[in-house]
Amino acid sequence: MRYREKKMAGFLTLGQQGGFSRRQLLATGLAATVLSGCAKEPGMVFRTAEFHPKDYPTSMAITEMGRLMEGYSDGKLSLKLYAGSQLGAERDTLEMTTFGGIDINRVSLGPLNSIEPMTNILGLPFLFNNVAHMRYAMDGAPGQQVLRALDSHGLIGLCFYDSGARSFYNTKRPIRTPDDMAGMKFRVQNSDLYVSLIQELGGNPTPMALGEVYQSLVQGVIDGAENNWPSYYEGRHFEAAKYYSLTRHVIAPEVLVMSKQRWDMLSPAEQEIVQKSARESVPYMRTLWDAKTLEAEKAIRASGVQVNEVDDQQAFVERAQPVWSQYIRTAAERNLVDAITEMGAGHA
Ligand code: GTR
């Protein structure tokens, strides 16, 4: 089948397999594309999922990617962004993406950990020295290697976005040493890596969707969680958990993925446009991210949250060390860690 025919067939089977009703297709704009195909070359509107609201850096970068894509394709390729978790929690939207029910999705690496082991490597505690190190490594061969590893799971890794450094916040007390975490219940992403990390540090991990964290903090179901400045701020978690302790234990990036089903319906030229547009949205995302991080930090500090540096970060590094041996299992994983570590020399 030539790619155009494959594309049209793909649209129809996508609708049938995914069990979309005609009303749902119309609502998402997919039907418009299918129907207009009779009259002229059909355009494609990629259904795109994002947990964060539409003015969050990742959402704005996706919007920028859509703008670039439309320009490069003379309006034939575009995306519709469903921001603010409209399509569901990250774990669920990711599953839908692997089956072709969602075309593009911006997710944290956490929910990908159970799908592709290589993603665990980027989430290893204290792997990256800082955000600059992470960006450098993701722009180079290590980043490409992890993106390509997603191919065998029905996903095309388009690019990495930022997620800053994750630190702990809680309702009880400042965390200065790992011992301060003892007995506290921390929400973690649905990822075994994060569960192990909290256990090694001495806390009690509770996997939970991000959307449930605020309420769970307020109701005392959990004592704390961990995240970067923008997410701690955006979710209003800082209003419920007044201690933010700068452990900076994970500096994993986020990733923009496309459903392989949809990718395979594109011509090589269209694939290149999608890839290029995603890549070109990255510098824009980074500028927004840096500004948002500063803005969030300023607002959080002004709100009366008690922010502290930890006494000795090395104590956390050492406690978390068993997580490394647990997740570096193959020679390829070891090589990836070594390559990333070496790249850190210029980013101390
Ligand atoms: C945020 C990230 C979200 C989500 C979240 C979490 O930093 O942007 O995609 O994965 O962390 O903790 O669940």
Side-chain angles (χ1 to χ4, degrees):
M1 243 195 282
R2 289 208 335 269
Y3 75 84
R4 277 282 164 210
E5 292 157 15
K6 214 164 121 193
K7 231 163 38 178
M8 291 309 295
F11 270 127
L12 297 169
T13 47
L14 187 70
Q16 286 153 3
Q17 283 171 1
F20 299 131
S21 67
R22 190 164 181 280
R23 219 175 91 241
Q24 280 169 313
L25 281 171
L26 277 169
T28 61
L30 280 175
T33 348
V34 174
L35 299 176
S36 71
C38 310
K40 59 179 179 89
E41 276 284 274
M44 278 206 203
V45 183
F46 302 131
R47 197 168 132 91
T48 304
E50 166 59 85
F51 173 86
H52 293 294
K54 69 176 193 311
D55 60 351
Y56 198 82
T58 45
S59 310
M60 289 170 73
I62 292 170
T63 304
E64 172 64 6
M65 175 197 164
R67 194 188 66 77
L68 290 167
M69 213 165 53
E70 270 190 73
Y72 290 137
S73 66
D74 290 331
K76 288 204 190 89
L77 303 179
S78 59
L79 60 81
K80 175 153 176 51
L81 176 63
Y82 293 86
S85 197
Q86 286 176 66
L87 300 181
E90 268 179 50
R91 198 162 69 155
D92 303 332
T93 59
L94 190 57
E95 202 181 332
M96 285 163 79
T97 311
T98 61
F99 295 125
I102 289 175
D103 300 316
I104 298 179
N105 199 351
R106 196 287 311 161
V107 288
S108 171
L109 282 182
L112 277 166
N113 290 165
S114 56
I115 298 177
E116 171 48 52
M118 278 287 175
T119 63
N120 283 306
I121 300 302
L122 305 185
L124 287 177
F126 308 104
L127 172 69
F128 296 105
N129 300 338
N130 47 40
V131 170
H133 177 197
M134 182 276 288
R135 287 175 176 173
Y136 183 60
M138 292 308 97
D139 288 346
Q144 281 311 307
Q145 189 182 345
V146 177
L147 290 178
R148 291 292 73 83
L150 301 176
D151 286 10
S152 54
H153 306 288
L155 297 169
I156 299 295
L158 294 177
C159 65
F160 288 106
Y161 284 162
D162 277 26
S163 197
R166 296 177 79 101
S167 290
F168 289 101
Y169 48 89
N170 76 87
T171 58
K172 304 272 190 236
R173 55 181 178 261
I175 295 169
R176 299 187 191 284
T177 70
D179 289 343
D180 292 326
M181 296 181 59
M184 275 203 259
K185 249 189 180 179
F186 290 94
R187 172 270 172 176
V188 289
Q189 299 188 64
N190 284 297
S191 150
D192 291 346
L193 175 88
Y194 279 88
V195 169
S196 303
L197 172 60
I198 305 296
Q199 280 167 345
E200 295 301 336
L201 292 176
N204 300 326
T206 307
M208 184 186 278
L210 186 61
E212 292 165 33
V213 173
Y214 179 82
Q215 212 41 36
S216 303
L217 285 167
V218 171
Q219 291 171 349
V221 175
I222 51 173
D223 303 307
E226 47 82 56
N227 224 313
N228 49 51
W229 287 104
S231 286
Y232 175 43
Y233 179 59
E234 200 67 48
R236 315 305 289 175
H237 299 175
F238 71 100
E239 291 174 354
K242 294 277 186 196
Y243 299 99
Y244 193 49
S245 306
L246 301 174
T247 46
R248 304 182 182 93
H249 50 274
V250 170
I251 310 187
E254 321 232 281
V255 61
L256 193 64
V257 292
M258 183 169 209
S259 160
K260 191 165 183 315
Q261 284 205 19
R262 174 50 57 100
W263 177 261
D264 289 344
M265 293 174 200
L266 302 176
S267 69
E270 288 168 335
Q271 289 177 345
E272 176 50 28
I273 288 177
V274 172
Q275 181 60 81
K276 179 175 147 95
S277 308
R279 208 169 39 235
E280 289 179 6
S281 70
V282 174
Y284 177 66
M285 192 280 156
R286 289 177 178 173
T287 305
L288 295 175
W289 181 263
D290 291 342
K292 183 76 184 180
T293 303
L294 288 177
E295 177 200 324
E297 175 173 357
K298 203 167 152 207
I300 288 164
R301 287 186 188 271
S303 77
V305 163
Q306 194 175 322
V307 180
N308 71 284
E309 292 288 343
V310 294
D311 291 351
D312 172 17
Q313 208 199 26
Q314 196 51 32
F316 288 86
V317 173
E318 279 162 23
R319 280 276 190 105
Q321 206 52 42
V323 179
W324 282 50
S325 26
Q326 213 178 320
Y327 284 93
I328 308 173
R329 291 178 274 218
T330 64
E333 288 164 357
R334 179 78 258 164
N335 291 340
L336 180 61
V337 170
D338 290 346
I340 292 175
T341 309
E342 274 166 33
M343 291 173 111
H347 300 276

